[in-house]
């Protein structure tokens, strides 16, 4: 499913809004949203397994037009098939850690080295951990 819905807890059967998780410039058939990693009530990261970008979103948005507020570029971790396969994440202090599965879809889903990308949760800038090869955290 390439959408996300917002509900009011007092009315769980009627969504407040339903937004697409596809960007107009996504060159994939599915963004495959995998998880929502919360920083606080107005900021979270939507992990999109089928793309190279995670969305920075406002989970308290009143409409779809106010939901997506930015992106994180994870294309440096792409294993050659168009996606680093974001699977999960966690916020610890002012850092967000995003787990990248890195399964090569072009080669029968062969597992490659998994990575952890680390971003500053305040500035959304990637943190160079100086670990692993080519400045990528292994």
């Amino acid at each position: 499913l390439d959408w996300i819905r917002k509900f009011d807890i007092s009315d769980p059967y009627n969504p407040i809004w339903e937004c697409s998780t596809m960007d107009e410039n996504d060159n994939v058939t599915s963004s495959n949203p995998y998880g929502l990693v919360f920083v606080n009530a107005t900021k979270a990261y939507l992990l999109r397994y089928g793309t190279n970008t995670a969305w920075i979103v406002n989970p308290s948005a009143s409409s779809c037009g106010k939901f997506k507020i930015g992106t994180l570029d994870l294309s440096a971790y792409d294993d050659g098939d168009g996606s680093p396969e974001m699977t999960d994440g966690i916020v610890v202090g002012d850092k967000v850690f995003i787990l990248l599965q890195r399964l090569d879809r072009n080669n029968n889903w062969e597992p490659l080295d998994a990575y952890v990308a680390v971003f500053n949760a305040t500035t959304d800038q990637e943190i160079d951990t100086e670990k692993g090869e080519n400045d990528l955290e292994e």
Side-chain angles (χ1 to χ4, degrees):
L1 303 175
D2 291 310
W3 44 265
I4 189 166
R5 291 181 181 160
K6 179 179 179 177
F7 292 90
D8 185 316
I9 196 165
S10 65
D11 188 10
Y13 298 104
N14 297 306
I16 296 169
W17 48 251
E18 178 178 298
C19 303
S20 172
T21 60
M22 295 286 290
D23 270 330
E24 55 190 47
N25 59 347
D26 279 339
N27 201 13
V28 297
T29 56
S30 174
S31 64
N32 197 359
Y34 241 60
L36 195 57
V37 181
F38 287 83
V39 176
N40 55 44
T42 59
K43 185 174 185 181
Y45 298 96
L46 179 65
L47 306 180
R48 301 181 327 133
Y49 190 87
T51 73
N52 278 326
T53 57
W55 282 4
I56 306 164
V57 299
N58 177 357
S60 296
S62 57
S63 67
C64 290
K66 296 178 180 181
F67 179 62
K68 178 184 168 196
I69 56 177
T71 59
L72 297 180
D73 181 6
L74 294 162
S75 62
Y77 299 92
D78 184 348
D79 54 38
D81 64 5
S83 171
E85 292 86 23
M86 298 166 236
T87 60
D88 207 350
I90 188 169
V91 175
V92 178
D94 64 348
K95 295 176 182 68
V96 59
F97 298 83
I98 299 176
L99 306 176
L100 307 168
Q101 196 172 32
R102 301 189 74 239
L103 299 176
D104 186 355
R105 289 178 281 181
N106 296 331
N107 195 15
N108 296 317
W109 295 90
E110 179 183 346
L112 302 175
D113 289 337
Y115 288 93
V116 175
V118 183
F119 287 83
N120 181 302
T122 303
T123 65
D124 302 317
Q125 297 299 308
E126 188 167 12
I127 297 171
D128 183 354
T129 62
E130 298 183 19
K131 306 281 184 181
E133 297 177 13
N134 302 320
D135 296 325
L136 301 179
E137 177 65 25
E138 210 172 318

